[in-house]
């Protein structure tokens, strides 16, 4: 390794993340962080959701279908979907500079792409569906928390969808796979893989997003996918519960 490579190498501080077969917060390997979901929290949005996933706190707001501005962005035969992920300056340990950065632009793009095939855009030509997600407090997995919140906000807004998106990450820490990593596991682990799934008629139909940061064997990746699927089904049940709570008397369309 030459001098420049050495400079570029990011040396991660080693922290033992699995102690006596438990994670630092006491969770089992396949255990999610506590999740709290509330639909319809914002008066001015067409649909909204507040969601906590461990120490992550996020809000999603959906507007639309509505007229698209600027007008040249309209599509004659379908709706335009926009997704904006934003992290509040006070959401992280070291104050984040306000406004978009490369990371938030990338997260917004992949999140929008996860929803594109699910939202029935063809029903709303020339209109726009805007999804805003704001991270108020971050503790790793904010993109997954935001996707879960956005799904509930979209349902709350009455946007017709072919399925629901549910998202969770799997990490590799101290050589083992763990579900829904928190900040320490994300920072000091060997790999972090956020997944998003399309759930239709109560079953996982397809994968809408996978991102890989780090290294895993092919076998580990297969196991990670299975772990994420199980976790996603648990989250899906909570998303449904939050929606049902708001519309106690209304049956969910997909059922
Ligand atoms: N983070 C931070 N400052 C930043 C970006 C991220 O402190 O500018 C923290 C934050 O807690 C975030 C975590 O690092 O949740 C992991 O970030 P990553 O890019 O992996 O995205 P996430 O896991 O939140 O989807």
């Amino acid at each position: 390794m030459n001098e420049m490579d050495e400079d570029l190498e990011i040396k991660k501080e080693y922290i033992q993340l699995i102690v006596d077969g438990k994670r630092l917060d006491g969770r089992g390997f396949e255990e999610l962080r506590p999740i709290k979901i509330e639909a319809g929290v914002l008066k001015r949005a067409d649909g909204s959701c507040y969601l906590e996933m461990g120490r992550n706190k996020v809000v999603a707001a959906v507007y639309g279908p509505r007229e698209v501005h600027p007008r040249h962005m309209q599509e004659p035969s379908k709706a335009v979907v926009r997704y904006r992920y934003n992290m509040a300056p006070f959401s992280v340990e070291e104050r984040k500079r306000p406004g978009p950065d490369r990371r938030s632009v990338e997260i917004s793009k992949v999140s929008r792409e996860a929803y594109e095939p699910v939202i029935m855009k063809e029903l709303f030509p020339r209109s726009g569906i805007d999804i805003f997600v704001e991270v108020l407090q971050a503790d790793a997995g904010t993109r997954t928390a935001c996707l879960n919140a956005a799904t509930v906000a979209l349902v709350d807004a009455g946007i017709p969808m072919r399925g629901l998106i549910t998202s969770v990450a799997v990490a590799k820490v101290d050589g083992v796979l763990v579900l829904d990593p928190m900040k320490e596991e994300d920072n000091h682990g060997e790999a972090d893989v956020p997944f998003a799934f399309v759930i239709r008629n109560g079953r996982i139909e397809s994968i809408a997003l996978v991102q890989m940061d780090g290294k895993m064997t092919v076998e580990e990746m297969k196991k990670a996918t299975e772990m994420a699927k199980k976790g996603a089904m648990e989250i899906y049940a909570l998303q449904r519960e939050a929606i049902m709570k708001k519309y106690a008397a209304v049956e969910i369309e997909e059922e």
Side-chain angles (χ1 to χ4, degrees):
M1 192 186 285
N2 65 34
E3 218 173 282
M4 195 173 149
D5 286 341
E6 270 177 45
D7 283 348
L8 288 173
E9 197 195 8
I10 300 164
K11 289 197 175 64
K12 282 190 184 173
E13 187 193 341
Y14 178 72
I15 292 185
Q16 193 182 346
L17 295 163
I18 305 292
V19 182
D20 297 332
K22 286 261 177 200
R23 297 160 74 177
L24 295 183
D25 58 2
R27 274 187 293 159
F29 299 162
E30 304 208 11
E31 202 177 324
L32 294 166
R33 290 175 282 188
I35 294 175
K36 187 179 146 187
I37 311 178
E38 194 181 340
V41 291
L42 302 174
K43 201 171 133 209
R44 286 187 197 92
D46 294 314
S48 59
C49 174
Y50 171 74
L51 185 143
E52 291 181 6
M53 220 166 144
R55 289 190 291 252
N56 290 304
K57 296 184 178 185
V58 306
V59 178
V62 169
Y63 293 83
R66 62 180 181 179
E67 204 175 323
V68 177
H69 290 289
R71 288 190 126 197
H72 67 82
M73 286 186 72
Q74 289 182 354
E75 295 254 7
S77 60
K78 57 180 192 276
V80 175
V81 175
R82 293 182 286 200
Y83 189 104
R84 195 194 74 158
Y85 165 100
N86 184 54
M87 214 172 207
F90 52 81
S91 65
V92 283
E93 246 166 80
E94 236 172 83
R95 178 186 175 275
K96 192 202 155 285
R97 224 174 123 213
D101 53 18
R102 272 176 59 178
R103 177 178 170 278
S104 63
V105 169
E106 184 218 315
I107 293 176
S108 300
K109 178 180 182 285
V110 296
S111 303
R112 175 178 51 76
E113 286 171 353
Y115 283 105
E116 290 264 5
V118 173
I119 294 174
M120 295 180 163
K121 297 186 295 186
E122 65 282 4
L123 299 180
F124 307 104
R126 284 183 297 281
S127 53
I129 296 166
D130 292 315
I131 308 164
F132 296 90
V133 291
E134 295 285 325
V135 179
L136 307 177
Q137 189 170 287
D139 192 58
T142 57
R143 77 196 63 198
T144 63
C146 287
L147 283 163
N148 293 329
T151 293
V152 174
L154 281 161
V155 176
D156 187 34
I159 305 291
M161 290 189 281
R162 294 185 179 84
L164 298 189
I165 298 273
T166 298
S167 178
V168 70
V170 172
K172 183 178 171 187
V173 302
D174 288 356
V176 296
L177 297 179
V178 295
L179 185 66
D180 189 21
M182 54 178 173
K183 184 87 185 338
E184 293 80 356
E185 294 169 331
D186 181 307
N187 278 17
H188 302 282
E190 294 120 77
D192 174 31
V193 190
F195 290 88
F197 300 98
V198 178
I199 303 188
R200 195 171 182 184
N201 296 328
R203 265 192 266 121
I204 291 185
E205 186 199 64
S206 53
I207 300 179
L209 175 147
V210 188
Q211 292 182 287
M212 166 71 125
D213 172 6
K215 199 174 161 194
M216 271 186 195
T217 64
V218 172
E219 278 314 307
E220 282 168 340
M221 189 64 188
K222 282 186 194 157
K223 189 174 171 214
T225 309
E226 288 310 310
M227 275 173 78
K229 280 167 71 178
K230 263 179 73 187
M233 288 309 293
E234 287 179 44
I235 297 170
Y236 170 70
L238 299 172
Q239 288 173 307
R240 277 182 56 107
E241 207 177 282
I243 294 160
M244 297 294 230
K245 201 170 163 194
K246 186 164 177 224
Y247 299 100
V250 182
E251 282 292 304
I252 293 184
E253 201 182 326
E254 62 166 333
E255 281 280 297

